[in-house]
């Protein structure tokens, strides 16, 4: 199977930069499908880990990521600057060797 052209050979970790589902479409497994597809693509590139950041008060997102096998690895103070106000973030990671519990 030919590797996708966007796969990086040197780095074995992927990063979810921005991820969201519009509120009226939530609870329909759209986020689960999107995240699982992204993880599948990263696995095809031989990535071993996927990382992301999330606002510490975004409880629905945190719960979703935990349900999908992510673990909090670090608290980063003042990570996000939104409307000239700083907000803390959690760094989260998931081992791609472990099957996804996210269904």
């Amino acid at each position: 199977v030919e590797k996708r052209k966007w796969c990086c050979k040197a780095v074995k970790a992927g990063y979810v930069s921005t991820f969201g589902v519009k509120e009226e479409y939530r609870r329909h497994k759209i986020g689960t499908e999107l995240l699982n597809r992204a993880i599948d693509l990263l696995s095809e590139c031989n990535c071993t880990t996927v990382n992301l950041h999330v606002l510490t008060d975004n409880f629905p997102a945190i719960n979703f990521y935990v349900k999908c096998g992510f673990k909090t690895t670090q608290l980063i103070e003042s990570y996000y600057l939104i409307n000239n106000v700083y907000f803390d973030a959690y760094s989260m990671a998931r081992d791609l060797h472990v099957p996804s519990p996210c269904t």
Side-chain angles (χ1 to χ4, degrees):
V1 175
E2 183 179 335
K3 295 260 188 230
R4 300 197 184 276
K5 291 182 181 180
W6 51 265
C7 290
C8 179
K9 295 177 184 174
V11 178
K12 296 298 180 188
Y15 182 77
V16 175
S17 176
T18 304
F19 186 83
V21 175
K22 201 169 180 179
E23 191 167 350
E24 63 260 32
Y25 298 106
R26 293 178 189 162
R27 317 289 300 162
H28 297 285
K29 302 283 185 184
I30 294 168
T32 300
E33 290 296 322
L34 287 171
L35 186 59
N36 282 338
R37 183 64 184 130
I39 287 170
D40 289 346
L41 292 170
L42 291 169
S43 293
E44 287 176 20
C45 292
N46 296 318
C47 287
T48 58
T49 306
V50 62
N51 302 289
L52 57 84
H53 292 96
V54 62
L55 287 162
T56 56
D57 64 352
N58 189 346
F59 303 113
I62 294 166
N63 291 334
F64 170 72
Y65 294 132
V66 168
K67 179 184 120 183
C68 291
F70 284 81
K71 295 182 178 168
T72 301
T73 58
Q74 184 179 9
L75 168 65
I76 306 171
E77 294 179 358
S78 302
Y79 182 79
Y80 290 107
L81 178 61
I82 303 171
N83 296 325
N84 292 321
V85 178
Y86 285 96
F87 295 89
D88 297 345
Y90 289 126
S91 178
M92 300 184 81
R94 182 172 162 235
D95 181 351
L96 296 183
H97 292 113
V98 178
S100 176
C102 195
T103 56

